[in-house]
């Protein structure tokens, strides 16, 4: 059996893999970082097209970490790499917002910083609203990032590369304002990883060797103080490499997007009825909040106390009318959806259901999160 690898050794291996071995996304040996996504809204597709080609080519994410209602927000990107997501987000937050990217691989940060002026001029901004830091996402304090300084923290297939995942989540919680959220895509596994996988250098670099057992996320979130994880999307990962398939054995992997809210304890303590007022950019008529709740403009939806508290205490508060059940709500039209359904928390179950749907429909022209695949 291989000797346990130290955290510093894993960090050096990851830096080498992303700084020297990988030059573009095509160099990856699994599809963990090129998985499909749900259809991309038009305003995000347009923002992606404005990103410089070299920045886009060095993208290694596993999801689309662009949440809704971003105007004027301050956003921190954990493991920002070449800066693709930062530059997309910078367009969406506008000049009054700000995006900070932090990454431990110096070469990636240098690529990102190289195009600061290019994107500022491309967007017509008077000054850049993006900054990049060379540092560790589990040590944000050392990078000078203060408590409760960001509205949103995002991360795209990076937390799995850090051995101490609890520390990453703890730091994200610390720098978030109350009502803020960690919106992130990452890789999860269906069981506890055996030693052979956890010590495999290539599998670590491919985002599989450090994958978290999916049930552990809820445990860590509760321990730190986040509201329970809200599953947004999930896609099964295929290895497509005979050598790596042999090492992996019975383990199955999924890329999934979750949102973790840092909510205050105040707010609704019982189920409520909510109405989406509409108008969020790119989601004017319908807001897919997560895999369990989609809100249509003017439609009454019954939600649990936790969802009601999140809506009331987050940046979405102005977008919803929230009332206790039994109190009459006036609607501008649309159907009522008052019956609570079984909440999906298992990313593997959601991914399997999504695959079943995809097999019955024609691919959408919007493309996947990396622009390399299409989704229904």
């Amino acid at each position: 059996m291989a000797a346990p690898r130290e955290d510093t050794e894993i960090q050096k291996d990851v830096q080498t893999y992303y700084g020297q071995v990988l030059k573009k996304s095509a160099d990856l040996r699994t599809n963990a970082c090129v998985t499909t996504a749900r259809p991309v809204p038009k305003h995000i597709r347009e923002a992606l097209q404005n990103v410089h080609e070299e920045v886009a080519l060095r993208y290694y994410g596993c999801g689309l970490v662009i949440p809704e209602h971003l105007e004027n927000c301050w956003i921190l990107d954990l493991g920002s790499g070449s800066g693709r997501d930062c530059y997309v987000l910078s367009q969406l937050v506008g000049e009054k917002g700000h995006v900070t990217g932090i990454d431990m691989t110096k070469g990636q940060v240098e690529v990102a910083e190289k195009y600061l002026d290019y994107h500022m001029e491309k967007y017509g901004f008077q000054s850049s609203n993006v900054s990049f830091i060379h540092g560790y996402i589990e040590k944000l304090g050392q990078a000078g990032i203060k408590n409760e300084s960001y509205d949103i923290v995002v991360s795209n297939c990076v937390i799995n590369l850090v051995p101490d995942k609890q520390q990453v989540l703890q730091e994200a919680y610390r720098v978030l304002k109350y009502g803020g959220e960690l919106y992130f895509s990452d890789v999860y596994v269906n069981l506890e990883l055996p030693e052979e996988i956890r010590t495999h250098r290539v599998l670590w670099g491919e985002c599989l060797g450090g994958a978290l057992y999916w049930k552990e996320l809820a445990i860590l979130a509760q321990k730190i103080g986040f509201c329970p994880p809200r599953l947004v999307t999930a896609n099964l990962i295929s290895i497509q490499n005979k050598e790596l398939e042999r090492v992996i054995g019975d383990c199955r992997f999924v890329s999934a997007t979750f949102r973790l809210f840092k909510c205050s304890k105040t707010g609704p303590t019982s189920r409520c009825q909510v109405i989406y007022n509409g108008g969020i950019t790119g989601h004017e008529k319908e807001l897919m909040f997560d895999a369990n709740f989609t809100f249509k403009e003017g439609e009454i939806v019954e939600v649990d106390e936790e969802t009601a508290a999140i809506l009331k205490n987050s940046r979405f508060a102005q977008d919803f009318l929230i009332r206790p059940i039994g109190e009459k709500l006036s609607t501008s039209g649309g159907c009522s959806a008052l019956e609570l359904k079984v909440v999906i928390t298992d990313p593997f179950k959601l991914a399997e259901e999504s695959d079943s749907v995809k097999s019955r429909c024609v691919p959408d022209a919007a493309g996947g999160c990396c622009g390399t695949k299409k989704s229904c």
Side-chain angles (χ1 to χ4, degrees), residues 18 22 24-26 28 30-37 55-65 77-85 103 108 155-161 184-187 205-207 235 237 255-257 368-372:
Y18 283 86
L22 298 179
K24 53 188 183 300
S25 57
L28 292 161
T30 74
N31 80 331
C33 294
V34 289
T35 52
T36 56
V55 171
L57 284 173
R58 296 288 292 265
Y59 164 74
Y60 309 119
C62 65
L64 187 68
V65 291
D77 184 0
L78 304 180
S80 51
S82 63
R84 190 203 78 158
D85 289 341
D103 200 279
Q108 288 279 68
S155 182
N156 201 336
C157 207
V158 174
I159 295 176
N160 68 82
L161 298 173
F184 66 114
S185 294
D186 220 290
V187 176
E206 293 283 333
C207 303
N235 292 279
I237 291 173
S255 65
T257 300
C369 60
C370 305
T372 55

Side-chain angles (χ1 to χ4, degrees), residues 247-322:
V247 178
I248 285 170
D250 294 331
C251 290
R252 296 171 63 223
F253 297 88
V254 67
S255 65
T257 300
F258 284 94
R259 53 198 326 166
L260 292 176
F261 282 88
K262 179 179 179 177
C263 282
S264 61
K265 298 304 180 182
T266 61
T269 56
S270 60
R271 292 180 178 179
C272 291
Q273 292 178 356
V274 304
I275 297 178
Y276 174 45
N277 298 324
I280 294 178
T281 302
H283 310 272
E284 289 81 0
K285 299 296 183 182
E286 181 177 281
L287 172 65
M288 181 185 158
F289 195 67
D290 56 29
N292 296 291
F293 288 101
T294 295
F295 302 105
K296 295 183 179 180
E297 182 185 20
E299 179 180 288
I300 300 175
V301 179
E302 183 177 325
V303 298
D304 57 86
E305 51 270 71
E306 178 187 295
T307 302
I310 286 173
L311 294 177
K312 184 174 182 179
N313 292 290
S314 68
R315 67 187 186 280
F316 296 100
Q318 63 185 358
D319 302 307
F320 286 87
L321 181 62
I322 304 173

Side-chain angles (χ1 to χ4, degrees), residues 50-106:
N50 288 329
V51 175
H52 192 280
E53 182 181 13
E54 183 180 0
V55 171
L57 284 173
R58 296 288 292 265
Y59 164 74
Y60 309 119
C62 65
L64 187 68
V65 291
I66 314 290
E68 317 82 8
H69 202 305
L70 300 180
E71 291 85 355
N72 303 325
C73 285
W74 277 61
I75 301 178
L76 174 64
D77 184 0
L78 304 180
S80 51
S82 63
R84 190 203 78 158
D85 289 341
C86 286
Y87 284 123
V88 172
L89 289 163
S90 73
Q91 298 172 75
L92 303 178
V93 300
E95 284 193 87
K96 292 183 180 179
H98 189 273
V99 180
T100 303
I102 181 170
D103 200 279
M104 71 175 181
T105 305
K106 189 174 182 180

Side-chain angles (χ1 to χ4, degrees), residues 223-239:
K223 183 184 296 186
I224 292 165
F226 281 110
C227 293
R230 306 187 74 91
L231 178 60
V232 181
T233 62
N235 292 279
L236 295 172
I237 291 173
S238 58
I239 307 305

